[in-house]
Amino acid sequence: MNWDETGPDTDERLDERLVQADADGEDTAVEAALRPKDLDEFVGQEKVREQLDLVLKAARARGATADHVLLSGAPGLGKTTLSMIIAAEMGAPIRITSGPAIQHAGDLAAILSSLQEGEVLFLDEIHRMSRPAEEMLYMAMEDFRVDVIVGKGPGATAIPLELPPFTLVGATTRAGLLPPPLRDRFGFTGHMEFYAPTELERVVHRSARLLDVEIDADGAAEIAGRSRGTPRIANRLLRRVRDYAQVKADGRIDRPVAAAALGVYEVDARGLDRLDRAVLGALLKLFGGGPVGLSTLAVAVGEERETVEEVAEPFLVREGLLARTPRGRVATPAAWAHLGLVPPQQGGKGQQGLFGA
Ligand SMILES: Nc1ncnc2c1ncn2[C@@H]1O[C@H](COP(=O)(O)OP(=O)(O)O)[C@@H](O)[C@H]1O
Ligand SMILES: [Mg+2]
């Protein structure tokens, strides 16, 4: 394989704080070891898998290079893994790079012109590519051609360069941010969904087998239930539970061991971590459940606005614990219940918010 290492991407950094990542980079190594190698091993995502299977089989039958593929979905759902599977299924080498790594069109030209025929180019975080690079990519995707600009100023000339046919696999956490001309140039778009608990249980069992960890069905269910629908988080929690089981128990994971371990790491029964609970707690206890502005809420928990908005809120919103309204952030009744608090207007026992309703 051909690696263009760009280090862990931003999306991965974002959810890293869920469970402190191992300082020595064990995380990245283990993650790579746990990646399914082919479509059959890839758990869940039935739709995307079925569609992709057809795209790849048809291309193979034609003896052609597969169409460009766009994968969209939240961090940790398997986009990088799928890109590698696409290459493996096509028997093609893969080159890995990312939008932020390509700042100049020249960077992209260098990569494109060194591709082999049929190679898969994985472009992670494709929505963060620079505009000039993006425009070069349009032509490369459509005509397998780039114009290389030689020289500067009035003397600059564009030299057309033919490219071998290749398959671009783009990944993005925000398909909505892609300009339509770029989106339209992908022959196939796969939307990755959050995983059902039973699917995450299969991920946990599979990873436990690979890590040579003994786990029973209830232990796997406990971990799956706290993994926010995300395989990367399931794998990470499994490793932390394994540590706990080795030190505090006999190495085997069952439900009590999993629950106790995740308690130590402050991941609660619903998968909320410390930051999530801090945000929710502030919203309920200081602001009577809102509405309160994002900046005020961020100051109250001592975090950056962006951290609250991009790291904590998406999950809280998805869980139906918090709503974003034009007037500010508002807690739902489920939020009060989850933190075991009584909304002020009902019981009067809950703390009256400073800016309360
Ligand atoms: N469908 C799946 N089945 C099994 N493991 C998965 C699946 N999707 C993701 N994983 C695991 O989760 C981790 C993160 O996946 P990755 O492809 O890096 O996500 P993304 O690129 O979308 O952020 C990988 O270690 C991989 O082993
Ligand atoms: Mg990735």
Side-chain angles (χ1 to χ4, degrees):
M1 264 192 235
N2 213 337
W3 300 89
D4 220 347
E5 265 305 335
T6 53
D9 61 35
T10 320
D11 303 334
E12 296 185 13
R13 280 201 302 275
L14 267 183
D15 66 350
E16 216 140 70
R17 48 123 226 164
L18 272 175
V19 169
Q20 213 70 102
D22 309 283
D24 56 4
E26 183 219 349
D27 247 32
T28 329
V30 176
E31 197 161 84
L34 295 181
R35 281 186 205 286
K37 301 281 184 282
D38 58 38
L39 274 184
D40 288 335
E41 257 189 87
F42 194 81
V43 175
Q45 307 291 346
E46 302 301 335
K47 260 262 147 51
V48 172
R49 247 188 19 201
E50 185 188 353
Q51 294 164 341
L52 204 52
D53 189 43
L54 287 173
V55 169
L56 299 181
K57 278 196 176 122
R60 275 203 306 260
R62 288 194 305 268
T65 301
D67 235 338
H68 304 305
V69 174
L70 179 65
L71 301 172
S72 76
L77 297 189
K79 300 181 295 298
T80 300
T81 305
L82 260 192
S83 76
M84 292 177 177
I85 290 177
I86 290 171
E89 298 264 342
M90 293 305 290
I94 182 168
R95 181 89 55 103
I96 299 180
T97 185
S98 74
I102 299 175
Q103 278 321 313
H104 308 285
D107 301 338
L108 182 62
I111 294 171
L112 290 170
S113 59
S114 67
L115 290 175
Q116 304 172 36
E117 178 160 353
E119 190 157 357
V120 170
L121 173 61
F122 178 56
L123 233 170
D124 210 358
E125 294 191 90
I126 193 169
H127 60 276
R128 295 181 58 200
M129 210 171 25
S130 73
R131 183 44 61 92
E134 203 173 272
E135 268 155 25
M136 173 179 280
L137 193 59
Y138 292 164
M139 203 200 268
M141 289 173 78
E142 203 154 78
D143 304 327
F144 297 112
R145 196 163 63 83
V146 288
D147 281 337
V148 179
I149 309 291
V150 178
K152 278 194 179 129
T157 37
I159 302 178
L161 185 68
E162 296 285 326
L163 302 173
F166 64 96
T167 299
L168 178 72
V169 179
T172 179
T173 47
R174 314 207 187 165
L177 287 188
L178 285 193
L182 180 55
R183 232 179 316 163
D184 294 346
R185 282 172 170 78
F186 286 96
F188 168 72
T189 300
H191 296 286
M192 317 278 288
E193 308 283 349
F194 286 100
Y195 292 68
T198 51
E199 293 170 337
L200 288 180
E201 285 169 32
R202 281 164 58 204
V203 171
V204 170
H205 277 302
R206 177 181 175 276
S207 300
R209 210 163 44 240
L210 291 173
L211 295 172
D212 207 12
V213 177
E214 208 179 316
I215 186 168
D216 69 9
D218 287 344
E222 190 64 39
I223 294 174
R226 300 188 189 209
S227 299
R228 302 166 166 240
T230 308
R232 175 178 294 133
I233 297 177
N235 283 339
R236 202 167 272 162
L237 296 185
L238 170 65
R239 298 200 308 275
R240 294 296 72 81
V241 173
R242 172 198 57 181
D243 294 348
Y244 180 96
Q246 273 168 4
V247 176
K248 302 268 190 185
D250 60 358
R252 278 190 312 203
I253 301 173
D254 54 16
R255 192 183 292 277
V257 166
L262 294 173
V264 170
Y265 290 102
E266 300 184 276
V267 176
D268 75 16
R270 214 163 161 165
L272 274 70
D273 69 8
R274 214 146 72 98
L275 175 66
D276 301 322
R277 278 195 307 276
V279 169
L280 219 49
L283 180 58
L284 300 181
K285 293 182 209 163
L286 299 179
F287 307 110
V292 63
L294 172 62
S295 306
T296 310
L297 191 55
V299 170
V301 295
E303 289 286 349
E304 298 289 327
R305 205 185 132 95
E306 287 72 28
T307 308
V308 172
E309 185 173 31
E310 290 169 29
V311 180
E313 283 189 352
F315 177 63
L316 296 175
V317 169
R318 190 153 61 81
E319 284 288 293
L321 296 169
L322 179 145
R324 293 166 168 164
T325 75
R327 292 174 56 219
R329 272 48 178 175
V330 177
T332 65
W336 292 96
H338 186 67
L339 290 200
L341 297 170
V342 184
Q345 60 272 32
Q346 285 173 21
K349 281 193 93 184
Q351 257 173 292
Q352 196 60 46
L354 294 176
F355 309 88

